[in-house]
């Protein structure tokens, strides 16, 4: 497939995924091809390429940017995640839903080639089969974020089937990376723990020790995103959102994995309101549809991720 002449817009570029996706896209297409946008006035990342301030709720400004840019790909990542969404319900619903409509309507109006929108394991709920959660199953989410993802999936499918917008989506598990911090999620502990292991040698976890959740190391998440966006349209059979599996582990298992590198590391457990969110989500994911349709395969397991996280983060804290 020929992707020369791509013009790419990333909305929510300062976030955990956006930070790394912008770099990956710029690496592939060149900085000039990628416009990073976020609600903050300036880029909070190392990215030196084009940047514009954009609140995705400001439809006029979004449309102005889309009209000027004539984008071939749009990645819409701006959202409030599960934990913060419970604390700011109205705003979470507004941002997550209206933002998506603005992007889908803009894609339709300005003939964007393809759109990426992230869904999440949060689209599932307590009545969903918890282990090896299938692609097609009961989905009764119990968080504002999860409801917005479930509804968003249906709207993505609607815009694709009825209006011809080529929108593609993944149900991300918890994402773990060293370049940026997550914010406001339930899976955030799995990033924080590495930072605290290096700075304090101990971590107080806000989930119980045996809480299994689906997780993924950022290089796998970036690969999945780009593979999905680069796949021929005829291979994308699911237009709601694809299940995406990486690994599945509990806080206790991350701690054991860290102890292989830092033997004195200790963990304690102080579960808070995020425990009930985690309890409503799957423990592991069946992603066989993604494997079949566009050859998805995760590479990192827990120990490989731990070694890399500590190797990458180590020098940052040694300098201090
Ligand atoms: C969260 O914890 O809210 C997110 C997610 C699983 O979508 N990381």
């Amino acid at each position: 497939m020929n992707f020369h002449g791509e013009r790419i817009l990333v909305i929510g570029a300062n976030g955990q995924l956006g930070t790394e996706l912008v770099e990956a896209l710029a690496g592939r297409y060149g900085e000039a091809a990628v416009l990073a946008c976020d609600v903050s006035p300036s880029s909070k990342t190392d990215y030196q390429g084009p940047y514009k301030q954009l609140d995705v709720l400001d439809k006029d400004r979004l449309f102005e940017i889309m009209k000027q840019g004539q984008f071939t790909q749009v990645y819409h990542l701006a959202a409030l995640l599960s934990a913060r969404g419970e604390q700011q319900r109205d705003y979470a619903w507004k941002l997550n839903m209206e933002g998506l409509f603005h992007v889908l309507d803009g894609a339709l109006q300005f003939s964007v080639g393809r759109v990426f929108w992230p869904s999440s394991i949060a689209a599932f709920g307590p009545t969903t089969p918890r282990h090896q959660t299938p692609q097609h199953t009961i989905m009764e989410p119990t968080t504002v974020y999860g409801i917005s993802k479930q509804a968003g999936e249906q709207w993505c499918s609607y815009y694709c089937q009825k209006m011809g917008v080529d929108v593609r989506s993944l149900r991300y598990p918890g994402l773990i990376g060293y370049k940026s911090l997550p914010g406001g999620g339930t899976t955030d502990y799995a990033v924080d723990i590495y930072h605290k292991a290096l700075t304090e040698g101990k971590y107080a976890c806000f989930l119980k020790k045996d809480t299994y959740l689906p997780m993924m190391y950022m290089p796998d998440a970036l690969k999945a995103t780009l593979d999905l966006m680069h796949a021929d349209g005829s291979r994308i059979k699911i237009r709601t959102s694809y299940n995406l599996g990486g690994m599945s582990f509990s806080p206790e298992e991350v701690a054991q994995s860290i102890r292989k590198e830092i033997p004195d590391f200790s963990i304690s457990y102080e579960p808070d309101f995020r425990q009930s969110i985690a309890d409503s989500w799957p423990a592991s994911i069946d992603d066989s549809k993604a494997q079949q349709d566009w050859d998805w395969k995760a590479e990192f397991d827990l120990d490989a991720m731990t070694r890399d996280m500590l190797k990458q983060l180590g020098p940052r804290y040694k300098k201090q």
Side-chain angles (χ1 to χ4, degrees), residues 249-260:
F249 55 73
S250 65
E252 188 178 28
E253 287 179 353
V254 195
Q256 277 163 8
S257 177
I258 292 175
R259 267 188 224 111
K260 290 181 191 164

Side-chain angles (χ1 to χ4, degrees), residues 81-83 120-122 145 172-175 184-188 281:
L81 300 187
S82 57
S120 160
I121 52 165
Y145 174 64
Y172 287 124
L175 299 183
T186 302
T187 58
D188 294 9
W281 288 352

Side-chain angles (χ1 to χ4, degrees), residues 4-202:
H4 287 299
E6 291 290 309
R7 291 174 306 282
I8 300 165
L9 173 64
V10 180
I11 302 165
N14 284 350
Q16 187 201 11
L17 176 62
T19 305
E20 301 216 23
L21 192 59
V22 164
E23 279 182 20
L25 288 164
R28 188 170 291 211
Y29 299 109
E31 274 193 355
V34 183
L35 174 61
C37 288
D38 202 282
V39 73
S40 358
S42 56
S43 172
K44 290 187 177 154
T45 72
D46 295 338
Y47 181 62
Q48 300 295 319
Y51 180 90
K52 281 189 181 164
Q53 181 174 21
L54 169 71
D55 178 350
V56 72
L57 293 176
D58 183 347
K59 188 173 178 181
D60 291 344
R61 176 145 171 86
L62 172 68
F63 275 31
E64 188 190 297
I65 289 174
M66 282 179 124
K67 188 174 176 185
Q68 267 173 16
Q70 294 295 306
F71 297 103
T72 56
Q73 297 180 47
V74 172
Y75 295 77
H76 168 39
L77 311 177
L80 237 59
L81 300 187
S82 57
R84 196 163 302 153
E86 292 309 287
Q87 290 157 339
Q88 291 173 259
R89 276 187 219 133
D90 293 351
Y91 179 59
W93 184 252
K94 190 176 170 66
L95 176 65
N96 295 3
M97 295 313 297
E98 259 177 52
L100 175 60
F101 281 121
H102 290 173
V103 171
L104 291 174
D105 287 336
L108 186 62
Q109 182 155 334
F110 302 109
S111 307
V112 173
R114 51 192 75 185
V115 177
F116 179 80
W117 175 79
S119 185
S120 160
I121 52 165
F124 299 112
T127 50
T128 302
R130 241 175 98 62
H131 298 280
Q132 287 301 306
T133 299
Q135 174 70 43
H136 301 287
T137 185
I138 302 168
M139 298 175 84
E140 295 181 321
T142 50
T143 60
V144 178
Y145 174 64
I147 299 168
S148 76
K149 289 300 181 191
Q150 218 261 330
E153 287 190 9
Q154 302 307 321
W155 279 112
C156 286
S157 172
Y158 185 96
Y159 271 72
C160 179
Q161 313 302 338
K162 302 256 164 99
M163 273 98 111
V165 178
D166 185 352
V167 51
R168 305 174 181 203
S169 177
L170 297 171
R171 290 174 181 154
Y172 287 124
L175 299 183
I176 298 147
Y178 59 87
K179 289 192 182 162
S180 56
L181 288 169
T186 302
T187 58
D188 294 9
Y189 90 84
V191 179
D192 299 342
I193 194 168
Y194 290 104
H195 291 263
K196 288 285 186 331
L198 288 161
T199 52
E200 297 176 20
K202 60 180 183 186

Side-chain angles (χ1 to χ4, degrees), residues 22 34 56 64 79 107 174 208 220 224 232 285 287 312 320:
V22 164
V34 183
V56 72
E64 188 190 297
K208 289 187 205 155
D220 276 338
D232 192 88
I285 294 289
D287 63 4
Q312 302 291 346
Q320 288 174 358

